[in-house]
Each structure stands twice: as C-alpha cells, then as structure tokens.
Amino acid sequence: MNFESLSSRQLERKQKKIQIGAILGAGIILMVFLGPGLVGSYMSYIIDLTLIYAIGTLSISMLANYAGIWSIGHTAFLAIGAYLAANLSERGFTVEIIILLGFIISLVLGVVVGLSAGRFAALYMAILTLALGLVSNEIIGRWQSVTGGDQGITVGPARLLFSNTPLDTNGHILITIVLVTLTFLVVTLITKGNLGRRWLAIKSQRMASMSIGLKPSLENALAFGLSGAITSTAGVALAFSMMYISPEAFSLAIATNLLLCTVVGGVGSIGGALLGAMFLVLVPEMAREVQGISAYVFGIATILVLLFLPKGIVPGIAQRLKKWSNNSSKRASYVAATVDNLTDSDFENLSSLVENLLKPATSNLTISGLSVSFGGVRALDNVSLEIPPGSVLGLIGPNGAGKTTLLNVLSGYVKPTNVESLRLGKTDLTSLAPYGRVKHGFGRTFQHAELFDELTIEENIYLAAQQRNKFNKNHEPGNNAAKIAEMLIDNLWLRPYARLYPGEVPFGVQKVTDIARALATGAQVIVMDEPFSGLDAEERSEVRSILKAMKNAGVSILIIDHVVQEVLNIADNMVVLNFGSVLATGSPEKIKNNPKVLEAYLGSALKDGKEVLSN
C-alpha cells in the first residue's frame, strides 16, 4: 500500500482498521491468559485494576484531547457505576442491565453538566467539574441507605443475563476485559470519525466552527456525556472486582491521580491511557513499605514528563520516532509543488466548479439602523446598507472604523445594541445563532484564516462539506462531502497540501483553504474579512480568480480589505465607514473621486495599495 497516495480520510480509515484489529487481538490474548486463571490471583488482581483505571483514564483523556475539557469530577461517574452495581446486584439485576443503566444515567448527567462547557472558559469548567466531584462525595457520605456512608457497602454476586450461576474471580476479570476492549473500540470509532473531527474543530477555533454550522455547546455536552458514561462502566467493573465499595475509591485524591495519569501517559492516546493506569496502580503497590512515597513519585514523574515530554510519554516518544524517520523528507519534497501562472483553462474549471457547488443568491442582505456599543465606545452608529442578490459590495475604511465589528454582527458573534432590520431575504438574522445562519446560506471567511489546527487541509474542507449536506437534505447524490472536498482541493490548487496541517503550510494556502471551507458550506452570501491581506502577488492572483468565479456564479459577497485596489476592481458598489458611521456609498469610480473619502482614507490607502500591487 502506497500511503502517500491516500487522502487524509483514506489514511484515517486505514489506521482505524489497524487500530481496531490490534485492540481486538489484545482483548482475545488477555481472555486466553487471564480467563482460565493461568496467572496468579494477585497478578490477576493487579491487571484487573489496571484495566479498570485504563477505562477511566481514557475517558478523561478523550475529553481533554478532543473537546479541550479537563474534568476533575469524573469520580462521580465512577461512583454511579459502582454503587449501582452494589445495590442492583443484591436485587438480582444482571451485569448487562447494570452497565446499561449506569451508562444511561451517567450520559444524561454528563450532558447536563457538559451544557455548561459552552458558557464557561476552560478554567471555570475545571472548577465546575471539581464541584461535581465534591458534591458526589457529599452525597456518598450522607445517602447511607444506598452507599453505606463512610462504612461502605458490600457488592452482591455478579450474574450474566443468560446464566443464573454467579461469576467467580476469573469471571469478574473477563467482564473487565470485555469492557476495556469495548471502551477502546468505541473511543477509536468516536475519535477517528466525524465526532472526533467536530470536537477538534470546536476546540481549536470555536468561532470558525460556528461559521460552518457546528454547535459548540451541544457538541461539548455530548463529549462530556459520553466520557462520563464510559467512566461509569469502569465503576461497575471496579465494584465486582473489589466486592466492597468505600468512599475512598472516589475521593479527590483519586480524581487528581486520574488526571496525572492522563498527563503522564499522554492525552488522547490509548497506549498513554494504559501506561497511565499502570502508573496509578503499580506505584502504590511497589511503594507499600515506604509510607507516603507514592505521592512524591507521582509529583516528580509528572514534573519530569511536563519538562521533557509535554505531550505525555507515549505521544512524545511517537513524535520523536517520527522525526527520526525519513517521512519528513518525503513530506518536504511532496510540498515543494507550487502554483504557477493561472491559465484561462484554470479559471474556466474554477468557474464551473463554483457554479456546480453554489446556487445563485436569490435574497437581499439588508442592514438598517445598526448600532453597536462596547461600554462607552460606539463601534457602529446607525449603519444601513444592502447587498442585492449576486452582487459584490466592498466595505472599506481606516482601522477602527467598525468593519470587522459589522462582519461579526452579521455572523452572530456580536449582538447589536440597536437594529431596525438585519435580514437575509425574509429571514431575521437577529433571531438566529451563528450556526443557524449557515442553514440559510450565510458563509464567512476570516482575516487570519482561523483554520482548525488539528485537522488537515482536506479535513477542514471535508468537515464543512459534511455540514452542508446535513443541512441540505436534497443535495445531489454525486455531490457527497468527500466529492465536494476533492473538487475544491483539485481546483483551488490545494492538492500538494491536502494531507498537511494548517501550521505546516504557507499563509496564502491557509487563506485559500479558508475560502474553500466557506464554498464547501454551499453559502449564497459570503462575507470576507481581508482575503487579500498578507498575500504576495501570485497568491492575490489565486484569490482574485476565486472571487471572480464566485461573482460569476451569482454569489453575493461582502468584502473588506486594506488592499483597496483589489476591492475596487471586483466590487459593484462600495460603502466607506469612518468612526463607525457610513461616510459614503456609491460605485467604485464614484468612491475613488469622493473628496471626503480621499481626505479620510482613500488617498493614502490607494497609494499604499498601488505600492503593494507593484511588488
């Protein structure tokens, strides 16, 4: 297999199959050796406990790496599974039903708590999860009829659905092996699939993720809920392994140790979760003779890892091995391709592509009486403008004039202080969240591209195309997300960079990718924040060609840029802002000769623009 010829998604699927095969193989090997009791009881107990904590560590690791949420309260979910097992097993419930109930209860609780993640910064979310852990400890101590309070509670016999015979110790280990295997499989499917891509996009660029239709608050809630539900299964396994549950198993110390294991082993890594769990179980076992030394070992190990392997032991070693391989030299030669002068054929292909992907705009974008204040600062003051369907409106003005603020209001990131009308056709945009505006054909690009750093160039575009097809139930079967991404990559000269990450490509490529992402959403109205900013002459030529193709396809465009000559060349009409107010409106020719505009901005801007264009 030539891996260089694979797309990002094909390579991902190939790696996912290999990983799934490895997990299943490891699970079978563990069953063969541990199930019949081929190892001693003490060693079986150590392995069992390690696998149980590997489930908890991996659930926290998944949440931190893909959703950017660090939880100190996952012991609450561990307790839910454990105390359900202790109480329901005494009432004759089977292991399968207990696991299912724990999963559902923890999922619901996790989603409720996770909804708060969309409202708080990472620090406050960590404090919220800490509160969850402390509240759960308080409940455990006081709800004695269920938990046994500080005295703890014994666990009933474990029975399977189709067997009335209670499981012995080897049977308990088999339950753990099955659970850890299923957990590793589920986490692999989640993180290597669409959910993982969506979570990574939101984690890296929250605002930009909304511009393609993602809902950060709901995705964060789902991530937290699934993570908590997975942790509850570890609680069930822990209960049947220990056969006795006490509050110490869910203390703040355990919660902290789980976090330390996640950091030491490596965030987002299955191997890191296993290594971290081994660290958590083996260090206290090896240090039994010296009281309190395990805390020092945990602390010193964490400091050393953060200093020398900040991504954790497993990812850190993997990254260094990758550097030592010859893949880097292959990648460098692969990226060496550049875009030469564009031909008429290139432009025809580009125009055909845009016409195929985007429907012509049919609605006016109307702004009337828009004002925005930040404290005592008036960023926009009674601004009104209109973009007829299929036209290009250029918005220019000096720094601080309110241009980006206007785009942020249109995108839904900033709420207007006052507004008479903000509509796309008959749709009132003020009533829609940012991701809701995408459904109505609204698209956005950003001054600094704002790409999803942990997704490849191809995955950035593919994710946007997926959202397009999710909103458009009547899309043509041939225009699936993969096909759309392939067409954009090939016709926007991105093929040499498709499998690279945004941080590995030139800024011009990032800007083109940002535009491609907006095109992939199928938008009919696209607002563009300085698409020419920071580009050289060749890169501006590429962007210019894309904008002309969009205009020919009938897309409505609102463009702001300090490279004024480019805006004047493509715009049908112009609006000039100064100190948050409309200074002038009219055709490009009229604006170029407006004395007020020349005095306030355009004289120096045109001069600077000509100098830039001559470089």
Side-chain angles (χ1 to χ4, degrees):
M1 172 68 70
N2 180 13
F3 287 93
E4 290 295 331
S5 65
L6 298 177
S7 68
S8 295
R9 286 170 296 98
Q10 289 172 329
L11 182 61
E12 181 185 78
R13 286 195 294 268
K14 184 73 176 176
Q15 293 172 338
K16 184 162 63 177
K17 288 179 180 178
I18 294 173
Q19 197 165 343
I20 288 173
I23 292 169
L24 290 173
I28 292 171
I29 292 172
L30 284 173
M31 287 183 182
V32 169
F33 280 94
L34 297 180
L38 296 180
V39 299
S41 58
Y42 176 73
M43 183 58 66
S44 295
Y45 167 76
I46 293 297
I47 295 174
D48 191 22
L49 201 58
T50 299
L51 294 178
I52 289 169
Y53 281 121
I55 296 174
T57 303
L58 184 59
S59 66
I60 295 173
S61 179
M62 176 190 75
L63 185 65
N65 187 65
Y66 287 86
I69 301 172
W70 287 88
S71 174
I72 314 175
H74 262 47
T75 47
F77 302 110
L78 197 68
I80 288 173
Y83 284 110
L84 273 177
N87 285 273
L88 297 183
S89 61
E90 291 285 0
R91 292 168 172 79
F93 284 77
T94 63
V95 173
E96 295 92 340
I97 294 176
I98 294 170
I99 290 172
L100 181 61
L101 286 175
F103 192 94
I104 293 172
I105 293 171
S106 298
L107 178 64
V108 173
L109 175 62
V111 167
V112 172
V113 175
L115 284 172
S116 302
R119 303 177 184 179
F120 297 114
L123 174 61
Y124 294 104
M125 187 58 195
I127 294 173
L128 180 64
T129 62
L130 173 61
L132 174 65
L134 293 175
V135 168
S136 69
N137 285 336
E138 189 69 18
I139 292 173
I140 290 171
R142 294 180 178 272
W143 200 2
Q144 295 186 13
S145 61
V146 173
T147 67
D150 294 336
Q151 302 302 315
I153 186 173
T154 57
V155 181
R159 294 183 176 86
L160 297 179
L161 195 59
F162 299 106
S163 174
N164 291 324
T165 304
L167 297 175
D168 57 12
T169 302
N170 291 335
H172 297 162
I173 294 175
L174 286 175
I175 290 174
T176 301
I177 294 172
V178 170
L179 284 176
V180 77
T181 303
L182 288 175
T183 296
F184 284 13
L185 288 174
V186 168
V187 170
T188 298
L189 292 173
I190 288 175
T191 57
K192 300 296 183 183
N194 295 334
L195 268 180
R197 276 190 288 268
R198 297 206 301 263
W199 295 350
L200 285 174
I202 292 168
K203 185 185 79 168
S204 61
Q205 296 291 348
R206 194 176 185 87
M207 287 177 60
S209 72
M210 290 187 281
S211 76
I212 64 170
L214 293 178
K215 302 178 181 179
S217 58
L218 293 182
E219 295 289 350
N220 283 335
L222 179 59
F224 199 90
L226 284 173
S227 177
I230 291 170
T231 305
S232 73
T233 66
V236 175
L238 182 65
F240 287 123
S241 176
M242 305 292 291
M243 297 304 295
Y244 176 81
I245 298 300
S246 66
E248 286 78 11
F250 318 106
S251 65
L252 182 59
I254 295 295
T256 305
N257 286 340
L258 285 173
L259 278 180
L260 291 178
C261 291
T262 302
V263 173
V264 169
V267 180
S269 166
I270 286 179
L274 274 171
L275 183 63
M278 291 173 61
F279 186 66
L280 177 60
V281 174
L282 293 179
V283 167
E285 287 295 322
M286 296 172 66
R288 279 189 174 191
E289 300 301 323
V290 185
Q291 188 175 6
I293 195 173
S294 59
Y296 291 100
V297 174
F298 281 134
I300 293 171
T302 303
I303 293 171
L304 291 175
V305 168
L306 290 175
L307 286 175
F308 298 105
L309 294 169
K311 291 187 177 180
I313 294 175
V314 173
I317 292 175
Q319 187 178 46
R320 295 194 177 189
L321 289 174
K322 188 176 180 180
K323 286 183 179 180
W324 291 339
S325 70
N326 59 1
N327 289 341
S328 57
S329 61
K330 290 181 179 179
R331 173 171 284 187
S333 62
Y334 183 64
V335 181
T338 57
V339 178
D340 297 325
N341 293 329
L342 304 178
T343 64
D344 291 340
S345 176
D346 292 326
F347 183 71
E348 289 174 6
N349 292 337
L350 180 59
S351 296
S352 176
L353 168 69
V354 176
E355 289 176 5
N356 182 42
L357 290 181
L358 307 182
K359 295 180 180 179
T362 57
S363 303
N364 287 13
L365 177 62
T366 305
I367 303 170
S368 178
L370 173 65
S371 298
V372 176
S373 297
F374 299 107
V377 178
R378 194 79 160 178
L380 292 172
D381 186 13
N382 197 32
V383 172
S384 298
L385 58 85
E386 185 172 7
I387 307 176
S391 66
V392 178
L393 179 67
L395 182 66
I396 60 174
N399 289 327
K403 304 183 296 298
T404 298
T405 299
L406 177 59
L407 263 59
N408 287 337
V409 170
L410 289 172
S411 303
Y413 305 143
V414 173
K415 291 185 178 181
T417 307
N418 295 293
V419 63
E420 295 174 7
S421 178
L422 180 58
R423 310 185 71 86
L424 180 56
K426 296 180 180 180
T427 303
D428 180 12
L429 295 181
T430 59
S431 64
L432 298 175
Y435 43 77
R437 304 181 189 205
V438 182
K439 295 181 182 180
H440 294 274
F442 185 89
R444 165 77 189 265
T445 69
F446 297 84
Q447 179 180 355
H448 300 292
E450 310 293 351
L451 299 181
F452 309 131
D453 296 334
E454 296 181 68
L455 300 181
T456 64
I457 296 298
E458 179 185 7
E459 287 174 327
N460 269 267
I461 302 170
Y462 174 73
L463 183 59
Q466 276 190 314
Q467 292 300 111
R468 163 207 180 104
N469 289 346
K470 178 181 176 181
F471 296 146
N472 181 14
K473 301 300 182 182
N474 299 319
H475 68 272
E476 298 178 12
N479 273 358
N480 57 45
K483 182 66 174 177
I484 291 171
E486 290 294 315
M487 290 190 296
L488 284 166
I489 287 168
D490 287 331
N491 288 278
L492 269 59
W493 320 287
L494 294 170
R495 177 56 59 191
Y497 312 97
R499 278 176 48 183
L500 302 185
Y501 293 90
E504 300 174 319
V505 303
F507 183 62
V509 175
Q510 294 181 32
K511 299 282 273 193
V512 172
T513 304
D514 187 23
I515 298 173
R517 187 175 61 184
L519 295 177
T521 65
Q524 299 179 34
V525 178
I526 298 181
V527 297
M528 312 186 77
D529 193 353
E530 301 201 32
F532 296 100
S533 173
L535 304 184
D536 59 28
E538 182 180 304
E539 292 166 338
R540 284 200 304 274
S541 176
E542 296 172 33
V543 172
R544 191 183 308 126
S545 296
I546 298 171
L547 266 60
K548 287 181 179 178
M550 292 165 59
K551 182 177 181 179
N552 291 345
V555 178
S556 299
I557 302 173
L558 173 61
I559 178 174
I560 67 173
D561 211 300
H562 286 292
V563 186
V564 178
Q565 194 60 54
E566 294 284 7
V567 181
L568 293 170
N569 287 340
I570 195 171
D572 299 307
N573 289 290
M574 301 287 295
V575 171
V576 183
L577 288 181
N578 194 33
F579 295 110
S581 300
V582 175
L583 179 65
T585 61
S587 67
E589 193 64 32
K590 181 179 178 181
I591 291 298
K592 282 195 291 187
N593 297 306
N594 187 307
K596 292 183 180 179
V597 177
L598 288 170
E599 180 182 354
Y601 172 64
L602 202 53
S604 60
L606 276 175
K607 179 178 181 294
D608 292 341
K610 286 177 181 177
E611 289 175 355
V612 170
L613 289 171
S614 64
N615 286 343

